[in-house]
Amino acid sequence: MVRQAKAQRILTHDQIWVALDRLAARAGLSPSGLAKRAGLDPTTFNRSKRVTPDGRERWPSTESIAKALAAADSSIESFARLIDEDGGDSRSVPLLGFALAGASGAFDEAGLPSGKGWTETALPTAEDSHAFALEISGDALAPVYRSGDIVLVSPGTPIRKGDRVVVKTRKGEVLVATLKRRTARALDLQPLEAAQAARTIVASDIGWIARIVWASQ
């Protein structure tokens, strides 16, 4: 009797990187935060390092994966489970660099991800199916958010006074701020960027507003 060999599963480039994103999320870190904790260059797991300038896929080394597992106090068995589409207690959400959030076509009229430039990252489960993530670049929002931090934004979560929010104006400006007051006529905001003073934006100038519900450390 001849037994048929079981088809060997071939892992894809995206599966490995999403598993690393999930590993970082489980540890409460951004990919760059996980790299730092692992003693690697902070950019080792950044999205920009996953594809070469000429478009070729770049894979993480076994050494960097091993160091990441040690830093996250995880095992190779756990990592294998994270590779599965439904592995772990996180899910994938669209991810965009914050610097690109003001670009034309990045969001539709409802404030949901649209167009090119979006990738995916694994973050803790969000009840809002329209949730998306933004990766902070630069230190303009420090000390609240630093370069490499990832914020999870939920368009469907109710917003209250004191919440941190992302606001996009109809002119294309995107800012992160604390909501001071919201009326039918305007928003009173305190931008997190230290160089910006408190602002009032009239309702007719607001494209959309969404609450930040989670941020990596």
Side-chain angles (χ1 to χ4, degrees), residues 4-20:
Q4 184 176 1
K6 185 177 181 179
Q8 187 175 11
R9 182 183 178 187
I10 300 176
L11 300 179
T12 67
H13 175 264
D14 286 344
Q15 283 177 318
I16 295 295
W17 281 115
V18 167
L20 275 167

Side-chain angles (χ1 to χ4, degrees), residues 28-69:
L29 300 166
S30 64
S32 61
L34 177 62
K36 290 178 185 177
R37 182 179 291 184
L40 301 168
D41 184 286
T43 65
T44 300
F45 299 143
N46 283 9
R47 290 180 297 113
S48 60
K49 293 297 184 71
R50 303 181 185 188
V51 180
T52 63
D54 59 358
R56 289 182 294 109
E57 294 178 342
R58 179 179 286 155
W59 294 67
S61 69
T62 53
E63 180 183 8
S64 63
I65 291 176
K67 289 184 176 180
L69 290 172

Side-chain angles (χ1 to χ4, degrees), residues 5 32-33 39-40 50 72 108 122 125 128 132 169 176 178 184 203:
S32 61
L40 301 168
R50 303 181 185 188
D108 61 20
T125 301
D128 183 4
F132 59 88
T169 68
V176 179
T178 299

Side-chain angles (χ1 to χ4, degrees), residues 10 53 73 94-95 107 109 111 131 168 183 194 197:
I10 300 176
D73 194 23
L95 171 68
F107 295 90
E109 293 182 356
K168 185 170 184 177
T183 68

